[in-house]
Amino acid sequence: MTTLVVCLDRTDDVGRKTGLRSPVVGWEAVRALVTDVGLADPEDSGVNSLLETLRVAQNLRDENEEVVVAVVSGDRESMVSADRAVAKQIDELAATYDPDSAVVVIDSAEDERLVPIVESRVQVDSVDRVVVRQARDIESTYYLLKQFLADEELRQTVLVPIGLTFLVFPMLATFLGPAQGAAAITTVIGIFLLYKGFNIDDWIARVAHQVRESLYSGQVSVVTYVVAGGLTLVGLFAGVLGVSSLDDPPGVVIPAMQFAFDAVPWLAMAALTASAGRLLDEAIGDEPIRSSFLNLPFIVVAVSLVVRGFSAYFLEQQGVIEPFAVPAYEFGAVSNESFAVTAGERLALFVVAAIVVSLVGARVASYFSGTRNEDEAELADGSGTGASNQGSNANIPSELTDGGPAREPHPTVDPEPDTESTVDPESTAEQAADPESDGDPDSRE
């Protein structure tokens, strides 16, 4: 098993300082190269990289492995030419020594970009990254900062807010004071972090895309969504008016119930309007209406009934609203006296009504979905019948696919009874080779 221990030098520091051309192959050659590079520049980290290459090779030799030590350098003209020079040298080493695997030794983030080039030609078992002990923290920090600055999205997300903070804070501190300026800056930074943390920018972009597509496609839901937004504002305003009419109630439960009691009807109408527009878009489209869109209006009504019933129950218990009274009426022989419905009975009526509405919605959705399945089954049966008809007509010859109308058969002449028919072997072979001859000599002409 032959292992190639190769030291990579992308910027050709070895050739620039010693004047030697790579690749440098062999234990003694690399050992002499360490002295030449060290004398040329004792502070160069490449000396440590060369020594690490020799150490790795020595350890592998101690394990009775056949080792080839080499130093590969790039080109100083450009990064592309440097990478191509390294690739060419690795190909020469692989063709000459035919290594089974390789151990790559590097000393910088720049040299680490050459590792994929080696991996594409030789199996790399290990990558040994040499960092000088005195400069380990500096080298690691530099590497991380370089990777960070190379990412455009991270630069815009981190560096731009920091730069704006350094620009705006002196002006705010001058006109408003240091405390007010710091408070304003921290507030803006907090809002920005929440904006990025909850991924609001993607949500806004997605909503804007959907609105643009809806406007261009002429969907009815665009108008209904605007109407629903107006009804929502009316509902919120009605809820706020209802809360403001209370006479200093204790706690927050009663104001919340009053807000829900007054706002729920308007919010339900807004939801029904929006769902109606979406349902119309589904009905106008070519695809069948999904059952979820059919069931949505009933769910909205059921939920609004439940919320309205519970809010009325709490408000009636606290005496905020009067009990519901059924007026007296007389219709022919049927008459009824006026009576009041208690809070529990009122809540039960709302809950039962919500359950009935939800059941009706589920029934309607299942009915239309069942009808759609039956239509699809009928279409499938029709296509199957058509396929069977096509299969039954498959044996009927067609003048459009078989090369034209069938030829008229040649008249057959019965041989004379007293004449013995002789078979010519050559003519028989020619008839077998020409299936269109039909045994007629004239047809071959």
Side-chain angles (χ1 to χ4, degrees):
M1 179 178 179
T2 303
T3 302
L4 175 63
V5 182
V6 57
C7 178
L8 300 180
D9 179 19
R10 191 182 191 188
T11 56
D12 195 18
D13 293 334
V14 174
R16 186 173 62 254
K17 296 175 182 179
T18 62
L20 299 176
R21 296 184 61 183
S22 58
V24 179
V25 185
W27 174 273
E28 294 298 333
V30 175
R31 187 174 179 178
L33 185 61
V34 173
T35 304
D36 295 338
V37 175
L39 292 175
D41 188 3
E43 296 179 353
D44 188 7
S45 61
V47 179
N48 300 89
S49 181
L50 295 174
L51 292 173
E52 177 67 13
T53 304
L54 295 175
R55 188 190 67 82
V56 172
Q58 185 177 9
N59 292 338
L60 294 177
R61 283 183 178 178
D62 294 341
E63 297 176 1
N64 297 325
E65 289 191 21
E66 185 177 354
V67 180
V68 177
V69 185
V71 178
V72 175
S73 299
D75 196 349
R76 294 188 295 271
E77 294 181 0
S78 64
M79 291 296 101
V80 176
S81 61
D83 295 345
R84 288 183 173 179
V86 171
K88 182 179 179 180
Q89 296 172 37
I90 294 296
D91 289 335
E92 293 176 357
L93 293 174
T96 304
Y97 299 99
D98 191 19
D100 298 315
S101 61
V103 176
V104 179
V105 181
I106 55 177
D107 63 345
S108 66
E110 192 72 23
D111 297 337
E112 194 168 356
R113 298 177 184 270
L114 299 174
V115 175
I117 298 178
V118 181
E119 288 178 339
S120 63
R121 289 159 172 80
V122 185
Q123 177 183 346
V124 177
D125 290 343
S126 176
V127 177
D128 190 354
R129 188 166 181 265
V130 180
V131 179
V132 181
R133 183 175 294 108
Q134 288 81 359
R136 182 180 298 273
D137 296 336
I138 298 175
E139 175 74 16
S140 302
T141 304
Y142 170 76
Y143 179 76
L144 292 177
L145 287 176
K146 191 173 183 180
Q147 292 292 104
F148 170 75
L149 294 176
D151 193 338
E152 183 178 359
E153 184 177 357
L154 286 177
R155 289 202 309 267
Q156 295 178 356
T157 305
V158 178
L159 296 182
V160 172
I162 294 176
L164 291 176
T165 301
F166 288 156
L167 288 176
V168 174
F169 179 74
M171 294 184 290
L172 294 178
T174 302
F175 293 101
L176 300 179
Q180 291 80 3
I185 290 296
T186 54
T187 302
V188 173
I189 293 176
I191 293 174
F192 176 77
L193 293 177
L194 291 177
Y195 178 82
K196 299 298 291 186
F198 287 108
N199 208 11
I200 298 177
D201 50 350
D202 292 342
W203 180 80
I204 292 176
R206 186 168 58 253
V207 170
H209 176 73
Q210 292 177 355
V211 171
R212 184 170 61 252
E213 292 294 331
S214 300
L215 290 175
Y216 290 158
S217 60
Q219 295 181 357
V220 182
S221 58
V222 176
V223 180
T224 57
Y225 285 162
V226 175
V227 176
L231 293 175
T232 302
L233 294 177
V234 173
L236 296 177
F237 184 72
V240 171
L241 287 179
V243 173
S244 61
S245 63
L246 298 176
D247 297 334
D248 296 332
V252 295
V253 176
I254 299 303
M257 293 298 103
Q258 183 66 44
F259 179 85
F261 183 81
D262 294 330
V264 158
W266 295 98
L267 297 179
M269 285 190 292
L272 286 175
T273 305
S275 62
R278 194 70 181 92
L279 188 60
L280 287 176
D281 288 339
E282 291 287 328
I284 294 173
D286 298 332
E287 297 181 357
I289 304 175
R290 287 175 286 182
S291 59
S292 58
F293 290 102
L294 292 172
N295 195 24
L296 181 59
F298 297 94
I299 295 298
V300 169
V301 174
V303 172
S304 62
L305 287 174
V306 171
V307 175
R308 177 85 171 184
F310 276 99
S311 60
Y313 175 80
F314 286 108
L315 293 177
E316 187 175 345
Q317 290 290 337
Q318 295 295 323
V320 179
I321 61 175
E322 298 293 333
F324 180 73
V326 178
Y329 68 91
E330 182 176 357
F331 184 75
V334 179
S335 62
N336 184 34
E337 295 181 356
S338 177
F339 64 94
V341 180
T342 62
E345 294 173 348
R346 185 176 185 175
L347 177 60
L349 289 176
F350 274 95
V351 172
V352 171
I355 294 174
V356 171
V357 170
S358 62
L359 292 176
V360 171
R363 179 58 182 169
V364 170
S366 62
Y367 172 77
F368 281 99
S369 61
T371 304
R372 181 184 63 187
N373 294 333
E374 292 177 0
D375 294 339
E376 292 177 354
E378 291 178 359
L379 290 175
D381 294 340
S383 61
T385 306
S388 62
N389 292 334
Q390 292 177 1
S392 62
N393 295 331
N395 296 326
I396 300 177
S398 173
E399 297 182 359
L400 298 178
T401 58
D402 61 359
R407 295 182 302 172
E408 294 291 336
H410 293 282
T412 58
V413 179
D414 296 334
E416 295 181 1
D418 297 334
T419 303
E420 295 181 1
S421 60
T422 59
V423 179
D424 189 1
E426 296 181 357
S427 63
T428 303
E430 292 176 357
Q431 292 177 7
D434 188 3
E436 296 181 358
S437 62
D438 296 332
D440 190 359
D442 297 335
S443 62
R444 295 194 299 271
E445 296 179 357

